[in-house]
Amino acid sequence: MSRPSGAVVPSAPLLVPALAGGSAHLDADLREAVDTAVCQLVDWSESIVVVGCAARTGAYTGTWDWSGFGVQQRGPDGARLPLSLGIGAWLLDQLPTQLPRSFFGVREDETAEACRLLGEAIGQEPGTGLLIVADGSARRDVKAPGHLDSRAEPFDREVGDALREGSPERLLALSVEDARELLAQGRAPWQVMAGAFDGPARASVSYDAAPYGVGYFVSSWAGS
Amino acid sequence: MTAPVPVTRRQYGGRMELGGPLRLGRRTFGPTEPVVMAIVNRTPDSFFDRGRTYALDAALDRVDQVVDEGAGIVDIGGVKAAPGDEVSADEEARRVVELVERVRERHPDVVISVDTYRAEVGELVCRAGADLLNDAWGGWEPELAEVAARHGVGLVCTHAGHLPPRTRPHRVQYDDVVADVISTVVGLAERAVSLGVRADAVLIDPGHDFGKNSRHSLEVTRRLGEMVDTGWPVLVALSRKDFVGEALDLPTDDRLEGTLAATAVSAFLGARVFRAHDVEATRRVVRTVSAVQGSADLVVGRRGLA
């Protein structure tokens, strides 16, 4: 077991039942897909690196902390992680796993090549599982956080297809400029995952929709 | 009205755990679980609905509807509160007993309350399946509490301004209306418990408009926290009453917003049961207040979280 594995999940706070309140059950299909993907990643891996967008590129330590959202709940010990990494930490805390874990933030504007190199370095460690906490465009419909942009759907369709195909090349070809304009924060983290794979992955996508105007993807990648 | 000694939480707080659960019929209502008590009148002449649910079928339809709207308690009444045509105990029983039986069959879980001051009627409705006696005239017949004890049902202890049933206040004065309310209702509650009524089935009600002018009712509302501090669960009956009407100079049909405003204030100050004509609106108001206070979570949490 030395090839890397990957799981892609959304960075949406509403995945957390304590934040979703009474509507938690309404997104059961999404949450189930996420749980399955994370469980599978943990099964396949010897250590987990959580990767998501952050204010700076580099390693982070800390824990999840929802107090910023108005719910006084936090993980055990440590500073508040950026949202994407906190979601990853929280997802891992829901599982009975003792796997070593680390957190790696990547700036939204890192170039595709920089992301690829970061991923390549992370993937060097045998048995690494990359938990990619990342979203598609936040401009998928008129009620979306960034309102509707007609380019959002084709952009996300390309992301979904690239994930489904297990193609690092297609992920690395996503436009930095388009992703920025379409508020697709996942671009850089996906490209980090792509960098960890030196060829096509055995891949599946179990969720690909934008129920609240933000593109959510759940996908599993295994080195072939 | 004498000037009672001010009541403090320390004096009465020991009677029951402050904010304990309320157990009525098959239901248990937690301290932060507000309950709407729906008014169901089998009267031809009540001030707001004016006979709309006087017929048995109409009353049953009303019960079905309010249960559907989220009422935890239905409060069945056979005699209007205000002065009017004399209603004998036999006639009152004819109006309410069969309705209690029918509601019990259709809705095993809803708490059935009966609004009566007569022990004789209380006895019959308890046999028919009632869970709570709403003694809105403040212990006028002391035996009513004994009936509640004997049947293991709850009791609402109300401040009716020391007036006989179905009379209106006339030039009534209080040195301190809240102190009078508290000493009266706490006295009734303690007496009820001493007679064997379960302490977790006793409620206190300041009796808005009963033996009070509108300023009295508004002051009681404003200072409701003092009643809450006694530790007894507080019921408020505000719906479309004159104190709302006089705050606004509006007739009963136009008192919904005022009622809901007073409801929100009462909920915020800790009232737990809300007797109401407008069940769904009342439920929405108290739910919103609970959410503001943080005692109820969001029903949907998505805004800004996608």
Coordinates of all heavy atoms in Angstrom, one line a residue, chain A residues 16-21 64-74 80, chain B residues 297-298 305:
Chain A
V16 N -22.5 20.0 8.9 CA -22.5 19.7 10.3 C -23.8 19.8 10.9 O -24.4 20.9 10.9 CB -21.5 20.7 11.0 CG1 -21.4 20.5 12.5 CG2 -20.1 20.7 10.3
P17 N -24.4 18.8 11.5 CA -25.8 18.8 12.0 C -26.0 19.9 13.1 O -27.0 20.6 13.1 CB -26.0 17.4 12.7 CG -25.1 16.6 11.9 CD -23.9 17.4 11.5
A18 N -25.0 20.2 13.9 CA -25.1 21.3 14.9 C -25.4 22.6 14.2 O -26.0 23.5 14.8 CB -23.9 21.3 15.8
L19 N -24.9 22.8 13.0 CA -25.1 24.1 12.4 C -26.3 24.1 11.5 O -27.0 25.1 11.3 CB -23.9 24.4 11.5 CG -22.6 24.6 12.2 CD1 -21.4 24.7 11.2 CD2 -22.7 25.9 13.0
A20 N -26.7 22.9 11.0 CA -27.9 22.8 10.1 C -29.1 22.8 10.9 O -30.2 23.1 10.4 CB -27.8 21.6 9.3
G21 N -29.0 22.6 12.2 CA -30.3 22.5 13.1 C -31.2 21.5 12.6 O -30.9 20.4 12.2
W64 N -11.4 21.9 14.7 CA -12.6 22.6 14.2 C -13.2 23.4 15.4 O -13.0 23.1 16.5 CB -13.6 21.6 13.7 CG -13.9 20.5 14.6 CD1 -13.2 19.3 14.8 CD2 -15.0 20.4 15.6 NE1 -13.8 18.5 15.7 CE2 -14.9 19.2 16.2 CE3 -16.1 21.2 15.9 CZ2 -15.8 18.7 17.2 CZ3 -17.0 20.9 16.8 CH2 -16.8 19.6 17.5
D65 N -13.9 24.5 15.0 CA -14.5 25.4 16.0 C -15.6 26.2 15.3 O -15.4 27.0 14.4 CB -13.4 26.4 16.4 CG -13.8 27.4 17.5 OD1 -15.1 27.5 17.7 OD2 -13.0 28.0 18.1
W66 N -16.9 25.9 15.8 CA -18.0 26.5 15.1 C -18.4 27.8 15.8 O -19.5 28.3 15.5 CB -19.2 25.5 15.1 CG -18.9 24.2 14.5 CD1 -19.4 23.0 15.0 CD2 -18.0 23.8 13.4 NE1 -18.9 21.9 14.3 CE2 -18.1 22.4 13.3 CE3 -17.2 24.5 12.5 CZ2 -17.3 21.7 12.3 CZ3 -16.5 23.9 11.6 CH2 -16.6 22.5 11.5
S67 N -17.7 28.3 16.8 CA -18.2 29.5 17.5 C -18.3 30.7 16.6 O -19.2 31.5 16.7 CB -17.2 29.8 18.7 OG -15.9 30.0 18.2
G68 N -17.5 30.7 15.5 CA -17.6 31.8 14.6 C -19.0 31.8 13.8 O -19.4 32.8 13.3
F69 N -19.6 30.6 13.8 CA -20.9 30.5 13.1 C -22.1 30.7 14.1 O -23.2 30.5 13.8 CB -21.1 29.2 12.4 CG -20.2 29.1 11.2 CD1 -19.1 28.2 11.3 CD2 -20.4 29.8 10.1 CE1 -18.3 28.0 10.2 CE2 -19.5 29.7 9.0 CZ -18.5 28.8 9.1
G70 N -21.7 30.9 15.4 CA -22.8 31.2 16.4 C -23.2 29.9 17.2 O -24.2 29.9 17.9
V71 N -22.4 28.8 17.0 CA -22.7 27.6 17.8 C -21.5 27.3 18.6 O -20.4 27.2 18.1 CB -23.1 26.4 16.9 CG1 -23.1 25.1 17.7 CG2 -24.4 26.7 16.1
Q72 N -21.7 27.3 19.9 CA -20.5 27.1 20.8 C -20.1 25.7 20.9 O -20.3 25.0 21.9 CB -20.8 27.7 22.2 CG -21.2 29.2 22.1 CD -20.1 30.1 21.5 OE1 -18.9 29.9 21.7 NE2 -20.6 31.0 20.6
Q73 N -19.5 25.2 19.9 CA -18.9 23.8 19.9 C -17.6 23.9 19.2 O -17.4 24.5 18.2 CB -19.8 22.9 19.1 CG -21.1 22.5 19.8 CD -21.9 21.4 19.1 OE1 -21.4 20.8 18.2 NE2 -23.2 21.3 19.4
R74 N -16.6 23.1 19.8 CA -15.3 23.0 19.2 C -14.7 21.7 19.5 O -15.1 21.0 20.4 CB -14.4 24.2 19.7 CG -14.2 24.2 21.2 CD -13.7 25.6 21.6 NE -12.5 26.1 20.8 CZ -11.3 25.7 21.0 NH1 -11.0 24.8 21.9 NH2 -10.3 26.1 20.2
R80 N -8.4 27.6 16.1 CA -9.4 27.3 15.1 C -8.8 27.2 13.7 O -8.1 28.1 13.2 CB -10.4 28.5 15.1 CG -11.5 28.3 14.1 CD -12.3 29.6 13.8 NE -12.9 30.2 15.0 CZ -13.6 31.3 14.9 NH1 -13.8 31.9 13.8 NH2 -14.1 31.8 16.0
Chain B
D297 N -33.5 25.3 18.7 CA -32.6 25.4 17.6 C -33.3 25.9 16.4 O -34.6 25.8 16.3 CB -31.8 24.1 17.4 CG -30.6 24.3 16.5 OD1 -30.2 25.4 16.2 OD2 -30.0 23.2 16.2
L298 N -32.6 26.2 15.3 CA -33.2 26.5 14.0 C -34.0 25.3 13.5 O -33.5 24.2 13.7 CB -32.2 26.9 13.0 CG -31.3 28.1 13.3 CD1 -30.3 28.3 12.3 CD2 -32.2 29.4 13.4
L305 N -24.5 29.2 5.1 CA -23.8 28.0 5.5 C -23.7 27.0 4.3 O -23.1 25.9 4.5 CB -24.6 27.2 6.6 CG -24.7 28.0 7.9 CD1 -25.6 27.3 8.9 CD2 -23.4 28.3 8.5

